[in-house]
Amino acid sequence: MALSNNVIAAINFIALLLSIPIIGAGIWLATQADNACVQLLQWPVIILGIVILLVALTGFIGAFWRISWLLMFYLIAMLVLIILLGSLVLFVFSVTMRGSGHTEPSRAYLEYHLDDFSLWLQRRVRSSHKWERIRTCLSSTTTCAELNQNYRLPQDFFNAHISPLQSGCCKPPTDCGFTYVNPTYWISPISNGASVDCSKWSNEQTELCYGCDSCKAGLLANLKEEWRNADLILLIALIGLVFVYLMAFLALKNAKSENLFRRHKQGYV
């Protein structure tokens, strides 16, 4: 029984280690400027990772000190957490399935359209109240200012692979026909293009295209890329946790069988 408990404790220690990449994925999302402004996914991931860590710790303590009720709590709580983590992985995958960039002639960067993304993500940015908060946060970052430092000549900028957020928020849409001065300063044509975003562009560095649908779409494209990266980490951690959970369950079951057999052999049953 002591050997079995040590095995269970070792297995639970692995589960404890698997919570670290989950917490790390949440912290990484929180350090990204766009995610920090939107504040949707990072905190659920961080909180879930911390809870998994605490539950794995209770399982380790229960096995190491042979506290049966802690082990039962671990098995039930970890099963619930695995289901929650699996649901989160599927949810992130489903809401990031749609949405991709569109090419424009003589441009290396892509343009993004809000309607291309999932309805759930669209609702996060279509509300004027929500967007005003996000817009204020985005305009306070150096996302667009970095372009002026990196690109001077028009052709250098047109050949640049800038981020979706920079493409949508820091310049007017290409189909507006604006004339380049620098990455965040453009001369408007006599007649604006058909896009509503053309009239929303401003050379004021705190305004730019932060009120444009293209900015909302660029933000969602950025989120999609970062969420997919985080989702891959969560998926790997999920697979590891499922394997560890099954191993712990089987080890606990074998330990109980051995204990019953020993009692039977000694004449207690």
Side-chain angles (χ1 to χ4, degrees):
M1 182 66 175
L3 178 61
S4 298
N5 279 337
N6 289 336
V7 170
I8 297 170
I11 291 171
N12 288 332
F13 183 72
I14 296 173
L16 190 149
L17 294 178
L18 286 171
S19 69
I20 295 175
I22 299 175
I23 298 171
I27 293 174
W28 176 76
L29 286 174
T31 61
Q32 306 304 302
D34 49 351
N35 272 283
C37 290
V38 178
Q39 297 183 1
L40 283 176
L41 187 62
Q42 61 266 44
W43 286 114
V45 172
I46 291 173
I47 292 170
L48 186 58
I50 291 174
V51 175
I52 289 173
L53 185 149
L54 294 175
V55 169
L57 184 60
T58 62
F60 176 81
I61 293 171
F64 196 79
W65 276 278
R66 305 177 191 178
I67 306 173
S68 299
W69 68 268
L70 266 184
L71 285 174
M72 292 306 299
F73 169 80
Y74 160 78
L75 288 175
I76 296 171
M78 187 57 77
L79 179 60
V80 172
L81 290 173
I82 287 173
I83 293 172
L84 287 175
L85 180 59
S87 300
L88 182 61
V89 168
L90 289 175
F91 172 76
V92 172
F93 179 77
S94 65
V95 299
T96 56
M97 285 182 64
R98 293 177 52 193
S100 58
H102 301 268
T103 58
E104 292 287 342
S106 305
R107 301 291 189 271
Y109 51 75
L110 302 176
E111 300 281 346
Y112 299 88
H113 302 153
L114 186 56
D115 291 336
D116 291 342
F117 295 88
S118 68
L119 292 176
W120 188 87
L121 282 177
Q122 288 184 45
R123 284 196 290 268
R124 306 284 78 78
V125 296
R126 282 197 183 276
S127 166
S128 58
H129 173 71
K130 291 179 181 178
W131 182 249
E132 190 58 37
R133 177 184 61 79
I134 297 171
R135 170 181 175 169
T136 302
C137 179
L138 290 175
S139 64
S140 67
T141 67
T142 60
T143 301
C144 294
E146 291 172 357
L147 295 178
N148 291 330
Q149 298 172 5
N150 297 330
Y151 307 103
R152 299 292 183 185
L153 300 176
Q155 204 55 45
D156 291 339
F157 181 69
F158 298 153
N159 292 333
H161 294 277
I162 60 179
S163 71
L165 187 64
Q166 291 173 324
S167 174
C169 303
C170 305
K171 63 168 192 59
T174 302
D175 59 11
C176 292
F178 282 53
T179 302
Y180 176 96
V181 177
N182 67 43
T184 61
Y185 195 97
W186 299 70
I187 298 174
S188 173
I190 296 175
S191 59
N192 279 338
S195 173
V196 177
D197 285 348
C198 300
S199 60
K200 294 180 179 179
W201 168 261
S202 171
N203 284 317
E204 289 291 330
Q205 297 302 290
T206 56
E207 296 293 329
L208 300 178
C209 218
Y210 290 119
C212 303
D213 281 352
S214 64
C215 185
K216 298 175 182 178
L219 172 64
L220 295 185
N222 250 44
L223 292 180
K224 174 187 173 181
E225 182 179 338
E226 292 164 2
W227 286 16
R228 278 294 180 91
N229 291 335
D231 203 39
L232 179 60
I233 296 173
L234 297 182
L235 177 61
I236 294 171
L238 174 65
I239 294 171
L241 284 172
V242 170
F243 178 76
V244 166
Y245 181 84
L246 291 175
M247 293 293 291
F249 179 80
L250 291 175
L252 183 61
K253 184 178 179 181
N254 289 337
K256 286 188 174 182
S257 298
E258 289 174 8
N259 191 37
L260 286 173
F261 178 76
R262 187 171 62 254
R263 287 184 179 182
H264 177 74
K265 190 176 181 180
Q266 293 173 353
Y268 293 135
V269 178

